[in-house]
């Protein structure tokens, strides 16, 4: 159970163009391409997920650990995440894509700074705490619990079993994923979710878990600069042709 495994380990250590729509759907999930990036829209939660469930790890592999970490640190200079001040360093990240809670929220802010997939509203999923104590198992029935909703309602997961029907996503990790929700009574602790058994619980923010970012609704397609230039050129040409016709008519 996450209540024991996560907590013990922690204590110890829309507008979319048809051209960009892939029509790959599963239950309440739809995969599409937004501004050159693959994402998945959830009609259950009303949010868009990155299709890559370990996007940070993929960026490390493709661009280099130091390059990406330095970009994240620079994008978060002077910014305080959560309810306590913290100085972000390379030690908040691991080569496999896992990160401390501060590393996770900073990575999400970095995605906003580069307008990833055309959105600057990326965030970590949240938990709605329905009961007190370590665990708040809602089985995805409480609005605002995007990770449990994904696991139980959209992918038809069952408690104690790994996340099923995962073909619509890439690079899922059978491990803990961070939420944005801090513990009310201790801001050194935040809530997490385990994709290998559907449990949620608490962990120290220094523990490294994975990051899966979401953004509200569906991402609107942004015209490419070349497309805008062509549109403007075409509009100008039509204007010139219309002017010539009017002169000939005179």
């Amino acid at each position: 159970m996450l209540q024991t495994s996560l907590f013990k380990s922690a204590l110890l250590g829309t507008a979319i163009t048809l051209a960009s729509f892939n029509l790959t759907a599963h239950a309440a999930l739809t995969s599409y391409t937004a501004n050159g990036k693959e994402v998945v829209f959830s009609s259950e939660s009303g949010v868009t997920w990155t299709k890559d469930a370990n996007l940070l790890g993929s960026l490390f592999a493709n661009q280099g650990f130091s390059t990406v970490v330095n970009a994240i640190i620079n994008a978060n200079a002077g910014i305080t995440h959560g309810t306590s001040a913290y100085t972000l360093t390379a030690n908040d990240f691991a080569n496999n894509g896992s990160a401390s809670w501060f590393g996770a929220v900073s990575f999400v802010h970095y995605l906003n700074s580069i307008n990833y997939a055309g959105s600057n509203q990326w965030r970590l999923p949240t938990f709605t705490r329905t009961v007190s104590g370590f665990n708040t198992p809602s089985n995805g029935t409480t609005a605002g619990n995007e990770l449990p909703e994904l696991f139980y309602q959209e992918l038809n997961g069952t408690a104690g079993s790994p996340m099923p029907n995962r073909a619509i996503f890439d690079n899922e990790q059978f491990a803990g994923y961070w939420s944005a929700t801090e513990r009310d009574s201790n801001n050194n602790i935040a809530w997490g979710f385990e994709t290998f058994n559907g449990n949620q619980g608490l962990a120290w923010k220094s523990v490294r878990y994975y990051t899966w970012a979401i953004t509200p609704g569906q991402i609107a397609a942004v015209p490419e600069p070349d497309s805008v230039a062509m549109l403007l050129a075409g509009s100008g040409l039509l204007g010139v042709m219309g002017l010539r016709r009017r002169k000939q008519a005179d």
Side-chain angles (χ1 to χ4, degrees):
M1 294 179 63
L2 188 68
Q3 176 177 345
T4 56
S5 63
L6 239 179
F7 189 68
K8 283 185 177 180
S9 64
L11 286 177
L12 295 175
T14 291
I16 302 173
T17 61
L18 290 178
S20 66
F21 205 89
N22 287 341
L23 298 180
T24 303
H26 186 284
L29 301 169
T30 304
S31 175
Y32 66 101
T33 300
N35 306 297
K37 305 297 183 183
E38 292 185 301
V39 292
V40 177
F41 174 66
S42 159
S43 61
E44 181 77 24
S45 300
V47 299
T48 294
W49 300 78
T50 60
K51 184 177 178 66
D52 189 335
N54 185 17
L55 178 60
L56 179 56
S58 296
L59 292 178
F60 285 160
N62 294 331
Q63 300 179 21
F65 178 85
S66 296
T67 298
V68 175
V69 167
N70 288 337
I72 295 172
I73 292 175
N74 291 335
N76 286 270
I79 297 174
T80 297
H81 295 292
T83 54
S84 58
Y86 185 83
T87 301
L88 191 69
T89 72
N91 291 329
D92 286 291
F93 304 93
N95 281 294
N96 62 3
S98 62
S100 70
W101 184 84
F102 290 103
V105 294
S106 296
F107 171 58
V108 171
H109 179 75
Y110 166 72
L111 293 180
N112 290 329
S113 73
I114 63 172
N115 208 41
Y116 183 81
S119 173
N120 61 0
Q121 299 182 62
W122 293 100
R123 62 175 175 83
L124 291 178
T126 57
F127 283 165
T128 300
R129 296 177 293 278
T130 57
V131 295
S132 61
F134 295 130
N135 225 14
T136 59
S138 68
N139 286 346
T141 59
T142 303
N145 285 18
E146 292 96 358
L147 277 165
E149 283 179 333
L150 176 66
F151 187 96
Y152 288 105
Q153 300 300 315
E154 296 166 320
L155 297 179
N156 300 315
T158 56
S161 299
M163 179 183 285
N165 303 323
R166 305 179 315 278
I168 197 166
F169 292 109
D170 297 329
N171 212 15
E172 309 88 79
Q173 304 297 306
F174 290 97
Y177 276 88
W178 283 119
S179 83
T181 307
E182 300 172 273
R183 189 180 187 188
D184 292 333
S185 60
N186 188 338
N187 57 24
N188 293 312
I189 296 174
W191 291 88
F193 186 86
E194 283 185 341
T195 53
F196 61 84
N197 60 11
N199 288 329
Q200 54 194 27
L202 297 163
W204 292 109
K205 291 180 178 178
S206 58
V207 174
R208 291 174 181 166
Y209 290 108
Y210 290 89
T211 306
W212 203 345
I214 60 175
T215 188
Q218 290 182 322
I219 303 173
V222 178
E224 295 292 333
D226 289 346
S227 300
V228 174
M230 290 176 65
L231 177 62
L232 293 175
S235 299
L237 179 60
L238 290 174
V240 170
M241 292 175 63
L243 181 61
R244 287 179 177 175
R245 290 192 183 114
R246 286 195 296 272
K247 288 183 177 180
Q248 290 174 357
D250 293 341

